[in-house]
Amino acid sequence: MSSTVDTNDDALADKPWRQYICVACGLIYDEREGDPDGGLAPGTRFADIPDDWECPVCGVTKKDFKPFVKRERDAKAPSLVPIKGEGIVIVGGGMAGWAMAEAIRERDSEVPVIMITACTGDRYNKPQLSVSFAKASGRQALVRESAMEESQRLGVTVINHTFVVSVSASLRQIRTTRGTFKYKKLVIAQGSQTRMPAELPENLCWRINVLDDWCTILPKLQDAPKRIAIVGAGMVGCEIAEDLSRMGHEVYLLSRNRFPLESLLPEIAGARLKSAQTDLGIKFISSKTIEQVVENSDSSKSILFSEQDTKQFDEIIATTGVSTDSRIANRAQLEFENGILVDPDTMQTSQQHIYAVGDCASFSGQCYRYIGLIDQQVSVVADTLVSKSSAGTYQNNKMPPVVLKTKSCPVEINGTPDVTGDWEVVKKSPDYLFLTQMRNGKVGATISVGKSR
Amino acid sequence: MLLRDTIDSKALSALQHVVQRNQTHGSLSKKSALENVNIIASDELAPRANDIDEGYYPLNIMSALGGAGAFGAHLGGSSAQFGDAISAMQMISRACGSTGFLTWCHDVCGLYLEQSGNSALLARLPAHVSGETFGGTALSNPMKSFAGIESMLLKAEKTSSGYLINGSLPWVSHIDQGQYCGAIAAVENADGSHSHEIMFLLEANESVVLKPCPVFSGMEGTSTKSIVVKNLEISDDHIIADPAKPFIAKIRAAFVLLQTGFGAGVIEGSIESMLEVEDGLGHVNQFLHNRPDELQVEFEELKQKLQDLAQTPFETDKQYVIDVLDARAHTSELALKASQSALLHQGARGYLMSSAPQRRIREAHFVAIVTPAIKHLRWEINRLMKETVPS
């Protein structure tokens, strides 16, 4: 790492600049760059950051950051040409796919690794998609490293813009739109896709699930203020609503529920969020069911509600939650329940030699779609696949906090809350609300809404 | 568009004929139909395979195969057995790839006639199925056109009595004077734009000039010609579907799935050629990759997949269509792999001009390049798997 020592004249620079990663959203704080928007001048050492400084993306504080160590390749560079039938194939080039590739390379510099991904494979921080329309100018602002750079750094063959069509577990063969590959071990990191209800036609409603989606819609949002409907008031819907509202768009947040985040928050907390959104100019349309979406002759779209009323928009964005596509799992005869079922200790699927990590992995029917869980999952798989030492065990016991990255009214949920259960109000001021939920005599979950200062 | 509301009695009896044939060949006696096909393939077809490869168009053997029930298993509505049609084609193709391909051409033409619901076309079905008349398919260009790969070559002009067809197609197989094929033309408006497409039975009569194609590296007995159509009049009796697109959407999977029987026969024949020399050459052949046992495992898995897909040939669900396209691509890939390995296993013996392995190398390449070629299949799967986004 010595090559990364900065030689500028800053007296502090006699030590290399270090980077720290946010465990909630994956943002990297680089001491060299600081966080000028957050009041940290370039060159601010992590140790000198005040405790109340907030992650510029998700709003957690300094305590939720840990040192970030970029995994370097060993000097012995493996050939980029895969050795037939001997390699590890990773399906998916998102955060979990790349984390998997890194974890393998950390342990073994020679085993051939092929990554097959439907997208470009550029590395970016997915949670930023929903909060970056206002401040990012284009693709380059979000890409941390291109697929090409990552491929060379890690010695991974990237086959991008390629769909996996089917997998044969018995032949250990993976069929794609760019040919058929053999694998020794297969890791599925296919991620999740936006769940599109039948009443939202794909040709009329945008989804913002991957960087390519984000890049496609961005120019439409940059040219002029628009009337935008965001369908679904979950985490992503709330974040995008705030982001687009700050860009000057007329934003409507549509929900079947009475208040935003109803599946996560008790009403007292949800009402605070809703009121903050209203203050920003977001129009929350609650308790509405969409019947149909049609395109008008001027290319605007009309939403018809089941109450028979109609509303017209320039763009519609579906933030209706995510699900795991079952195609690969079905074709490979993997057990599937909301996601690809994995052994919670080893991340192995129901088929030998096939593993699943990240959003697509299902633990007895439950998918935990948190960035913060990926590292440990890929470590366990990498230990099993390439480590000479005994394999680690994945213990899915500590849930990372759920952080709603809305600046107007940040929300943080810790623990495992039962929404319908009782909550105790611990702190309550006009700007801040702190709730706790007791379980077996201990604090089982907490929710904070707003800013404590 | 499909089965028209009124099917006249002539057409009905034609359908019943096919149903009856399938029932006779069904369950207990089904085996004997396939057995008969197998006997003709081994005894009559296999010895002529090289002649056919070099240019002999085996209509006499096609007649015999039709008589044995090789061309009708996939017809007859609810009694249709697509799996058996694929199996029959595989047996024929194992003996001779060219005739396996002719069988596919003939089978899909039967499918067009039946699915048209047009009584005039249904009436022609019994003679077609039994191999008394012959017809194939000219959908290579339209299929690529619908997938956005090429533009449509035949044009139709509306007339008072039907349509007038003009244009030319570069290569159509299983065609000759007095024979016919399913074809598609774009209907032109007065201003040159296209309103829609029609599908019709193109009869090779005096308005159709058949020209020999340049010499191909193999499969010369498939009677593949370029056809030039000048002012061919089409009446209602020729219409398979108007408009054509919904019809194609319905039969597309069946069209592609049936073709796998042709490739499967090449694979099976190749594996047999490897086993043929195992006693004498096994001690050195063990150092080759793609050994017969390995290929057999993959082939068995593929055959099972094909038989599973053959249960619902008219399914239009996107995931099913992708599976069919993928199974077709898999057939091509395995045919290439198996035919090459067969030649390596046989060595100089397989390189003789008279040997089956060298012929199958060329047959396998045809499996891989004929529409839908591997690249077309992947193009289409890619198109289907992409998410639709607003414009």
Side-chain angles (χ1 to χ4, degrees):
Chain A
M1 294 282 296
S2 60
S3 64
T4 63
V5 173
D6 196 285
T7 52
N8 79 21
D9 55 9
D10 188 329
L12 286 167
D14 55 350
K15 280 197 298 178
W17 298 116
R18 297 185 63 183
Q19 295 179 316
Y20 292 79
I21 186 165
C22 169
V23 295
C25 75
L27 172 118
I28 291 168
Y29 174 78
D30 189 326
E31 292 180 334
R32 183 209 308 256
E33 291 166 13
D35 173 25
D37 290 346
L40 303 181
T44 305
R45 291 292 181 181
F46 188 76
D48 300 330
I49 297 177
D51 288 338
D52 62 353
W53 170 80
E54 291 172 355
C55 167
V57 169
C58 75
V60 299
T61 52
K62 187 177 159 180
K63 67 177 170 18
D64 287 313
F65 279 70
K66 68 175 187 185
F68 174 68
V69 184
K70 195 184 235 179
R71 287 134 179 178
E72 295 292 323
R73 273 182 72 191
D74 281 12
K76 291 180 293 180
S79 159
L80 286 182
V81 179
I83 299 162
K84 201 176 177 194
E86 287 301 312
I88 297 169
V89 174
I90 300 170
V91 173
M95 297 186 76
W98 279 118
M100 190 68 242
E102 277 189 330
I104 292 167
R105 277 291 169 259
E106 225 177 23
R107 292 160 175 79
D108 188 319
S109 63
E110 294 189 350
V111 61
V113 177
I114 302 175
M115 173 185 282
I116 301 171
T117 177
C119 62
T120 310
D122 287 344
R123 205 160 180 191
Y124 65 97
N125 190 30
K126 186 166 177 175
Q128 279 185 280
L129 293 183
S130 52
V131 295
S132 298
F133 285 116
K135 65 177 177 215
S137 50
R139 188 180 187 99
Q140 287 318 313
L142 294 191
V143 172
R144 231 161 70 190
E145 245 174 330
S146 72
M148 181 85 84
E149 290 164 338
E150 283 292 75
S151 155
Q152 284 172 354
R153 182 172 73 82
L154 293 169
V156 169
T157 304
V158 177
I159 298 165
N160 61 4
H161 300 299
T162 300
F163 290 104
V164 170
V165 185
S166 63
V167 171
S168 165
S170 52
L171 302 173
R172 293 209 216 174
Q173 220 178 49
I174 175 161
R175 302 187 50 75
T176 81
T177 46
R178 291 185 205 274
T180 301
F181 300 84
K182 295 208 89 174
Y183 64 83
K184 190 176 177 189
K185 305 280 180 184
L186 174 62
V187 184
I188 302 176
Q190 68 180 59
S192 48
Q193 60 181 18
T194 305
R195 200 190 297 129
M196 291 294 273
E199 62 272 20
L200 300 181
E202 291 189 355
N203 62 332
L204 299 180
C205 303
W206 298 94
R207 286 129 278 167
I208 299 164
N209 191 44
V210 293
L211 180 59
D212 291 341
D213 296 341
W214 187 91
C215 294
T216 313
I217 190 179
L218 184 66
K220 307 250 174 203
L221 300 174
Q222 285 173 329
D223 56 2
K226 301 241 165 95
R227 293 160 302 176
I228 298 172
I230 293 167
V231 182
M235 307 259 300
V236 174
C238 289
E239 288 170 1
I240 292 178
E242 175 166 330
D243 199 33
L244 297 188
S245 175
R246 287 184 193 281
M247 285 178 90
H249 295 293
E250 193 178 329
V251 178
Y252 296 79
L253 188 53
L254 278 55
S255 175
R256 287 183 181 165
N257 301 325
R258 293 166 301 148
F259 53 84
L261 252 51
E262 193 174 293
S263 63
L264 291 172
L265 300 179
E267 184 163 5
I268 180 176
R272 290 250 170 159
L273 179 58
K274 183 175 171 179
S275 124
Q277 289 172 341
T278 308
D279 290 347
L280 267 178
I282 298 168
K283 298 176 178 71
F284 192 87
I285 302 184
S286 63
S287 313
K288 282 286 217 186
T289 307
I290 294 173
E291 195 92 320
Q292 205 189 347
V293 176
V294 293
E295 188 165 24
N296 305 311
S297 55
D298 63 352
S299 84
S300 68
K301 287 104 193 157
S302 288
I303 296 183
L304 282 62
F305 297 98
S306 52
E307 292 81 2
Q308 297 308 310
D309 48 335
T310 301
K311 197 149 182 52
Q312 204 174 327
F313 301 97
D314 298 311
E315 305 291 349
I316 299 172
I317 299 172
T319 53
T320 35
V322 293
S323 61
T324 303
D325 184 28
S326 61
R327 185 179 168 89
I328 294 176
N330 285 343
R331 299 323 182 261
Q333 293 172 325
L334 306 178
E335 285 172 24
F336 189 92
E337 193 184 341
N338 296 320
I340 299 167
L341 281 171
V342 292
D343 178 327
D345 289 332
T346 61
M347 304 303 292
Q348 188 185 303
T349 67
S350 60
Q351 293 275 13
Q352 230 192 335
H353 313 301
I354 304 182
Y355 300 79
V357 294
D359 278 13
C360 68
S362 162
F363 301 83
S364 311
Q366 184 76 41
C367 295
Y368 301 97
R369 297 182 169 114
Y370 300 108
I371 305 298
L373 297 179
I374 291 175
D375 260 3
Q376 210 195 337
Q377 292 180 359
V378 297
S379 292
V380 170
V381 176
D383 282 345
T384 308
L385 297 190
V386 289
S387 208
K388 276 54 177 185
S389 60
S390 66
T393 297
Y394 176 61
Q395 286 165 345
N396 182 30
N397 50 14
K398 189 178 181 302
M399 299 305 291
V402 174
V403 181
L404 184 72
K405 309 183 286 289
T406 45
K407 291 218 170 76
S408 66
C409 182
V411 175
E412 183 171 332
I413 304 168
N414 279 284
T416 46
D418 167 15
V419 185
T420 55
D422 291 331
W423 291 89
E424 188 189 335
V425 177
V426 177
K427 277 183 204 161
K428 187 178 178 184
S429 73
D431 295 330
Y432 187 66
L433 182 67
F434 189 75
L435 310 175
T436 56
Q437 188 169 61
M438 304 303 285
R439 190 163 302 156
N440 305 328
K442 287 183 189 164
V443 174
T446 66
I447 293 177
S448 75
V449 182
K451 292 174 182 167
S452 55
R453 313 157 256 129
Chain B
M1 184 263 317
L2 298 170
L3 282 177
R4 292 175 179 181
D5 295 338
T6 50
I7 294 181
D8 67 19
S9 58
K10 197 169 144 201
L12 201 62
S13 74
L15 254 187
Q16 278 162 351
H17 177 90
V18 174
V19 171
Q20 210 180 356
R21 171 185 286 277
N22 276 354
Q23 281 164 350
T24 327
H25 295 308
S27 55
L28 264 181
S29 54
K30 175 180 84 187
K31 212 168 195 160
S32 70
L34 283 178
E35 269 170 11
N36 288 336
V37 170
N38 208 15
I39 290 166
I40 297 170
S42 318
D43 296 356
E44 296 181 41
L45 193 55
R48 301 298 307 268
N50 281 334
D51 296 340
I52 297 168
D53 187 55
E54 288 167 8
Y56 172 64
Y57 183 28
L59 287 184
N60 57 337
I61 301 176
M62 288 289 282
S63 278
L65 289 166
F71 306 141
H74 60 301
L75 305 173
S78 57
S79 68
Q81 300 288 336
F82 264 74
D84 286 352
I86 294 171
S87 298
M89 201 185 300
Q90 180 186 324
M91 287 170 177
I92 296 166
S93 194
R94 175 177 138 238
C96 168
S98 298
T99 313
F101 180 63
L102 290 173
T103 299
W104 172 75
C105 298
H106 201 81
D107 276 5
V108 283
C109 188
L111 185 72
Y112 306 154
L113 296 175
E114 182 193 53
Q115 292 295 319
S116 74
N118 182 337
S119 54
L121 296 178
L122 280 166
R124 307 173 72 136
L125 195 53
H128 179 84
V129 170
S130 59
E132 293 157 49
T133 61
F134 301 100
T137 172
L139 292 205
S140 171
N141 161 256
M143 285 293 196
K144 282 185 264 181
S145 164
F146 288 147
I149 299 169
E150 288 179 0
S151 58
M152 198 76 83
L153 293 171
L154 290 185
K155 310 279 191 257
E157 184 189 325
K158 187 101 185 85
T159 64
S160 54
S161 58
Y163 290 98
L164 203 61
I165 310 292
N166 278 288
S168 57
L169 295 170
W171 21 67
V172 176
S173 297
H174 195 28
I175 189 78
D176 215 339
Q177 286 299 334
Q179 295 181 196
Y180 46 88
C181 62
I184 291 181
V187 179
E188 279 194 324
N189 299 319
D191 63 357
S193 62
H194 294 166
S195 63
H196 67 292
E197 299 82 18
I198 56 162
M199 183 162 174
F200 58 98
L201 194 72
L202 187 155
E203 292 195 83
N205 58 22
E206 62 285 355
S207 301
V208 177
V209 178
L210 301 177
K211 292 186 183 166
C213 290
V215 178
F216 288 107
S217 67
M219 314 267 306
E220 280 286 275
T222 54
S223 194
T224 301
K225 316 256 167 112
S226 80
I227 65 177
V228 181
V229 183
K230 257 190 196 154
N231 296 328
L232 173 69
E233 286 178 26
I234 293 295
S235 73
D236 282 353
D237 284 353
H238 294 103
I239 295 293
I240 295 169
D242 182 0
K245 266 189 181 155
F247 183 87
I248 291 299
K250 187 190 167 172
I251 62 144
R252 180 167 68 156
F255 172 97
V256 174
L257 185 60
L258 274 174
Q259 217 179 39
T260 59
F262 161 42
V266 176
I267 298 166
E268 189 180 24
S270 297
I271 295 174
E272 283 172 0
S273 293
M274 293 179 215
L275 294 173
E276 237 168 59
V277 295
E278 195 59 16
D279 286 348
L281 302 174
H283 62 297
V284 279
N285 282 348
Q286 62 171 315
F287 294 102
L288 290 169
H289 63 286
N290 294 325
R291 295 277 288 144
D293 50 347
E294 238 174 279
L295 292 169
Q296 191 69 42
V297 170
E298 187 168 350
F299 185 43
E300 292 303 324
E301 193 167 306
L302 173 62
K303 276 195 296 182
Q304 187 56 52
K305 191 158 67 177
L306 297 176
Q307 290 296 326
D308 290 347
L309 293 168
Q311 299 295 316
T312 56
F314 297 108
E315 173 70 65
T316 52
D317 173 70
K318 185 161 94 173
Q319 300 302 329
Y320 172 80
V321 173
I322 291 171
D323 284 337
V324 168
L325 299 176
D326 184 49
R328 171 71 180 84
H330 194 173
T331 307
S332 291
E333 290 168 30
L334 192 52
L336 290 171
K337 197 159 75 174
S339 63
Q340 190 192 31
S341 191
L343 198 146
L344 295 177
H345 275 72
Q346 288 216 349
R349 199 178 316 185
Y351 197 62
L352 290 176
M353 200 59 212
S354 59
S355 80
Q358 61 78 26
R359 189 190 74 241
R360 286 205 190 92
I361 294 258
R362 287 174 285 114
E363 291 174 353
H365 279 82
F366 189 73
V367 171
I369 59 126
V370 70
T371 308
I374 291 176
K375 57 191 176 180
H376 302 140
L377 292 160
R378 290 185 187 155
W379 157 291
E380 184 64 2
I381 294 171
N382 182 70
R383 192 182 70 84
L384 291 171
M385 290 188 96
K386 254 187 197 161
E387 278 189 11
T388 311
V389 294
S391 50

